[in-house]
Amino acid sequence: MHINRPRRLRRTPALRRMVCETVLSVDDLIAPLFVVAGSDIVRPIRSMPGHAQLSVDQLDPEINEIAELRIPAVLLFGIPGHKDPIGSSGWDPEGPVPQAIRAIRRLAPQLTIIADVCVCEYTSHGHCGILADTPGSGDVLNDPTLEILARCAVAYADAGADIVAPSAMMDGQVAAIRAALDAAGHTQVAILSYAAKFASAFYGPFREAAESTPAFGDRRAYQMDPANGREALREVELDVAEGADMIMVKPAGAYLDIISTVRQRYHLPLAAYQVSGEYAMIKAAAQLGWLDERRAALESLIAIRRAGADMIITYFAKDAARWIVPALRGDSQGRVKVEDGR
Ligand code: PBG
């Protein structure tokens, strides 16, 4: 008897399509953008080929492309003209992010606009909050920081953001932001919480892109230890209790186990952030001719979906959408299985 022969179902492309368990759709993608203060700026990011810091007046082509590809959402980061110890440009209504939100809203009203809420791009020291007085300690004060994160969130909601995404890893940030949004009348603005964000080496290229490298110390006193899985669940539990509408695990590739467990235990929409280093690794290897970029990128994305993420924030968003969409012509669903088109 020829039983236990899984290869029978791998024999033809049509059979493989039929038994494929996971699909990647354009609907799952979120495109990050770096908006810089000033005008006439298109400043390529060396370690993130294909990405650039853009001033608000240079956003249109990028937004049009994203909208034409039917990517449903963008995630905005700001690089301000002025930094100070408390990151006050972060809540300036004329800062790069509020300006970008208003511009995108006008240009592509159908796009979901997510604003990252953190102050590391806005503080002179590059930490994600207000520092204690001890010089050089890098000790971020939790509760005073909540107040400034809430101000940033309200400024982005005032400008028209659909979703705010707190990434500072301060305790209580979701509750503080929810209260501030509600008090300002923004009861319809949702919170996507970076619930389990790890102190990761894979953020390296982002820090160049966002000019947010800490001037001293590191983020291990607020971001999580990569060794800790149970603690990640505790973080998620707290954020759910504080009123998060969606949760996120970050980075993605090295944390698929966390994504999988969170998916099983919680019922909120789950996002995963394929971070700058994950993107840079594939890009660099592809440039050297060591990896097939498209296959490696799509495989990494399908793995994140298979682990259980509903949405993926990825610097491959436009590429992936392009790889998916042509394969889709004639297909009704707007979805692709990774094998298609190769
Ligand atoms: C800011 C923030 C970081 C990222 C997103 N928001 C960097 C950090 O914590 O140092 C990283 C994103 C990426 O690497 O793509 N708090």
Side-chain angles (χ1 to χ4, degrees):
M1 251 200 325
H2 291 267
I3 57 170
N4 295 329
R5 299 289 177 128
R7 283 190 51 194
R8 261 178 214 136
L9 303 181
R10 295 180 200 141
R11 202 168 44 81
T12 68
L15 276 166
R16 291 196 290 271
R17 272 174 55 213
M18 285 171 65
V19 300
C20 177
E21 299 174 27
T22 312
V23 293
L24 178 68
S25 160
V26 175
D27 301 343
D28 308 327
L29 303 171
I30 299 171
L33 289 177
F34 298 99
V35 189
V36 64
S39 57
D40 260 332
I41 303 171
V42 178
R43 190 177 294 142
I45 301 157
R46 196 181 43 93
S47 52
M48 299 175 70
H51 288 269
Q53 295 180 351
L54 300 171
S55 51
V56 173
D57 61 320
Q58 300 297 311
L59 278 177
D60 288 19
E62 184 72 17
I63 295 300
N64 284 333
E65 226 183 315
I66 288 170
E68 274 159 27
L69 289 164
R70 291 199 300 116
I71 293 169
V74 291
L75 171 63
L76 302 180
F77 295 95
I79 302 115
H82 158 83
K83 301 195 186 208
D84 63 27
I86 60 165
S88 60
S89 304
W91 60 87
D92 176 358
E94 295 310 316
V97 168
Q99 280 195 43
I101 293 170
R102 294 191 294 264
I104 296 168
R105 188 50 83 225
R106 272 195 301 273
L107 189 66
Q110 76 278 21
L111 266 185
T112 296
I113 303 175
I114 311 173
D116 182 89
V117 176
C118 190
V119 287
C120 60
E121 302 108 281
Y122 302 94
T123 52
S124 39
H125 43 71
H127 278 285
C128 301
I130 297 175
L131 290 184
D133 258 345
T134 352
S137 73
D139 181 14
V140 176
L141 299 170
N142 196 83
D143 293 11
T145 299
L146 295 181
E147 212 174 295
I148 61 172
L149 293 174
R151 276 190 213 176
C152 295
V154 170
Y156 307 151
D158 284 345
D162 300 290
I163 300 174
V164 293
S167 67
M169 287 301 281
M170 295 298 121
D171 294 334
Q173 63 184 10
V174 172
I177 288 172
R178 185 71 269 160
L181 288 174
D182 290 354
H186 294 301
T187 54
Q188 298 299 320
V189 173
I191 299 176
L192 163 60
S193 107
Y194 286 70
K197 177 174 174 182
F198 290 87
S200 174
F202 294 109
Y203 304 153
F206 173 94
R207 293 183 186 171
E208 180 197 331
E211 301 174 9
S212 65
T213 309
F216 45 81
D218 56 43
R219 303 207 203 289
R220 284 181 294 182
Y222 40 104
Q223 298 181 349
M224 288 188 51
D225 184 340
N228 292 0
R230 293 190 301 272
E231 190 187 346
L233 297 178
R234 181 174 186 219
E235 285 283 1
V236 172
E237 186 179 318
L238 292 170
D239 286 5
V240 171
E242 287 177 31
D245 298 285
M246 302 191 270
I247 44 189
M248 191 201 298
V249 172
K250 175 182 172 191
Y255 299 86
L256 296 178
D257 58 325
I258 313 282
I259 294 172
S260 168
T261 312
V262 171
R263 169 73 300 151
Q264 286 163 40
R265 300 216 189 153
Y266 296 90
H267 301 116
L268 295 184
L270 175 59
Y273 198 144
Q274 182 181 53
V275 302
S276 55
E278 298 178 73
Y279 173 80
M281 283 194 298
I282 293 175
K283 277 280 177 191
Q287 283 184 358
L288 288 165
W290 293 355
L291 275 183
D292 177 331
E293 177 178 349
R294 171 180 164 155
R295 291 191 56 190
L298 285 173
E299 182 176 331
S300 69
L301 294 170
I302 208 79
I304 296 165
R305 290 274 297 124
R306 190 194 64 237
D310 300 301
M311 300 162 255
I312 308 172
I313 299 159
T314 174
Y315 302 97
F316 284 115
K318 282 196 303 174
D319 294 322
R322 271 189 221 104
W323 293 326
I324 291 170
V325 171
L328 289 180
R329 286 206 188 105
D331 173 349
S332 53
Q333 291 302 305
R335 283 155 197 279
V336 75
K337 294 168 182 179
V338 160
E339 191 181 56
D340 278 19
R342 292 212 296 261

